[in-house]
Amino acid sequence: MEIETPLSSWDGELTCVRYDSGTGAWFLVAVHSTRLGPAAGGTRAMTYPSPGEAAADATRLAGAMTLKMAVAGLPMGGGKSVIRLPVPRAKLRAETWRQILDVHASNLQRLHGDYWTGPDVGTNSADMDYLRKATDYAFGRSVAAGGSGSSAGATALGVFAAIRASVDDAGLGTLAGCRVLVQGLGAVGARVAEMALEAGAELLVADIDPKRCDAAQARGARVVNVAEVTRTSCEVLVPCATGGLISAKIAETIPCSVVAGAANNLLRDAGSADVLAERGIVYAPDFVANAGGAIHLVGREVLGWTAEQVTVRTLRISQTLKTIFENAHKQGVSNERAACDLAASELANSTVAGAGRGFEGNN
Ligand code: NAD
Ligand code: PPY
């Protein structure tokens, strides 16, 4: 994909692109909206076929952050950064990774707080600790370094609340005895899998990392081939890997009753939400279901919330989803459409356009 394609068709406020010849990495920062406050969203570091694909991912993810912040009632806008690595992170020398983070930190510092980053796929709290040596604009440092630590626990809690609300809307009753298929057993997915087991679900798992599957199998899970995830019968599909799992074509045949997970930008194309709705599959929109991490990072580090307050706000995701499901039923639209409409009305009703500019954080 040419880099012009995603950039020229995007409705966001700002994109910054940099290539660093020293490391071979490309850096993309996408600021979608600062209407509710400074843009925030994690740094994704992985390989992409071309800088165009990396830009497409950054812009799509940044747009989803705007929706996530609006629906979660957080005073931040939407942004995301993508680092297109020359080789997978596991194969990078430690020294090269540090050089990459140095370049990223200097880019962020030049944005003067219009964009705040945090961990995402390919980055973690230790990376945020390192970034904060050279930029003020990173959430999610380790607790030892004065940050709020990993957001994965809050994200998993929110995803599980979303699963319960969706199972209820699908008329399945409780999770006990339901087949729950978790795709991706990373920081979020492994936690959700444990919660499903505790709730009496029959657990199915899929991960490209066989060690993660083995660990789940030892806990009683049945392992599904990664290529079979969207063809495996289950009541609840929980995507917790990377996005784009469900296209309109896949939605036509996917054998489940509920889709609710953590993966950002789960739907590959615009038509997939309508197909899921037409088939009566309850879809919990990703930017609503996975907001626990943003609630944790912004709640703890900007709003000064306690861990208990973060938990209460995260569990409220199930109530938000019930409202979205009701609106969707009443208006005869997909859950995705109803969630986007809710975000749009929060953004339109906001009286604090750009209020976050100049925000300094509390740490
Ligand atoms: P992670 O990197 O810890 O875990 C991802 C897991 O998915 C890994 O175990 C990996 O091996 C597996 N995986 C990758 N590709 C796969 C495939 N094709 N099939 C099966 N498994 C595959 O990431 P995470 O922090 O658990 O996040 C998971 C998803 O949730 C991501 O899309 C992320 O953007 C989203 N999310 C995470 C948070 C958070 O707080 N961590 C917040 C919001 C959204
Ligand atoms: C996400 O929720 O997708 C994130 O990127 C996490 C996040 C949220 C707020 C600030 C930084 C990272």
Side-chain angles (χ1 to χ4, degrees), residues 18 31 42 83 109 112 114 117 135 184 194 202 221 228 234 255-256 278 291 305 310 332 349 361:
R18 177 171 176 183
V31 173
I83 303 176
Q109 199 59 11
H112 298 290
D114 268 359
T117 199
T135 180
E194 274 303 316
E202 186 187 327
E228 293 300 320
C234 60
C256 64
E278 281 155 20
W305 290 350
V310 168
N349 293 336

Side-chain angles (χ1 to χ4, degrees), residues 40-42 65 68-69 80 116-120 139 264 290 294 297-298:
M65 288 306 300
K68 188 179 310 192
M69 297 296 185
K80 207 88 171 189
W116 286 65
T117 199
D120 197 284
F139 294 130
N264 280 304
N290 71 18
L297 294 170
V298 177

Side-chain angles (χ1 to χ4, degrees), residues 18-231:
R18 177 171 176 183
Y19 173 69
D20 177 53
S21 58
T23 56
W26 283 79
F27 299 82
L28 295 115
V29 180
V31 173
H32 181 256
S33 168
T34 55
R35 182 167 173 81
L36 298 178
T43 296
R44 187 167 280 201
M46 50 190 255
T47 56
Y48 289 88
S50 74
E53 265 84 13
D57 210 20
T59 50
R60 271 198 302 260
L61 289 165
M65 288 306 300
T66 300
L67 302 173
K68 188 179 310 192
M69 297 296 185
V71 170
L74 297 170
M76 305 289 289
K80 207 88 171 189
S81 34
V82 162
I83 303 176
R84 176 180 178 246
L85 300 174
V87 294
R89 180 163 172 195
K91 293 196 177 150
L92 278 177
R93 291 187 312 125
E95 171 65 14
T96 310
W97 178 240
R98 278 194 293 273
Q99 284 168 9
I100 287 173
L101 289 180
D102 288 338
V103 175
H104 190 40
S106 93
N107 297 339
L108 300 185
Q109 199 59 11
R110 287 173 190 202
L111 291 170
H112 298 290
D114 268 359
Y115 166 69
W116 286 65
T117 199
D120 197 284
V121 176
T123 59
N124 56 31
S125 286
D127 299 322
M128 298 305 122
D129 292 350
Y130 187 84
L131 282 178
R132 273 297 275 263
K133 291 181 184 158
T135 180
D136 301 321
Y137 309 116
F139 294 130
R141 278 173 299 156
S142 62
V143 174
S148 63
S150 168
S151 55
T155 304
L157 188 68
V159 168
F160 199 65
I163 291 171
R164 282 192 190 283
S166 308
V167 163
D168 185 49
D169 195 56
L172 293 170
T174 71
L175 271 174
C178 282
R179 289 163 301 171
V180 174
L181 169 48
V182 180
Q183 181 217 27
L185 294 167
V188 178
R191 286 174 164 93
V192 175
E194 274 303 316
M195 290 181 206
L197 278 177
E198 275 163 32
E202 186 187 327
L203 182 64
L204 286 74
V205 296
D207 196 297
I208 49 173
D209 182 345
K211 285 201 211 83
R212 293 187 172 179
C213 291
D214 290 349
Q217 197 169 29
R219 303 273 304 125
R222 171 153 70 88
V223 177
V224 169
N225 187 304
V226 287
E228 293 300 320
V229 163
T230 55
R231 288 194 287 263

Side-chain angles (χ1 to χ4, degrees), residues 10-11 32-36 39-40 59-79 264-265 267 283 285-291 294-295 320 324 335-348:
W10 195 48
D11 65 347
H32 181 256
S33 168
T34 55
R35 182 167 173 81
L36 298 178
T59 50
R60 271 198 302 260
L61 289 165
M65 288 306 300
T66 300
L67 302 173
K68 188 179 310 192
M69 297 296 185
V71 170
L74 297 170
M76 305 289 289
N264 280 304
N265 293 347
L267 303 182
Y283 170 59
D286 48 9
F287 60 86
V288 184
N290 71 18
I295 293 170
T320 306
I324 288 166
N335 292 343
E336 174 81 356
R337 179 74 269 144
C340 288
D341 289 349
L342 180 63
S345 80
E346 294 294 331
L347 285 159

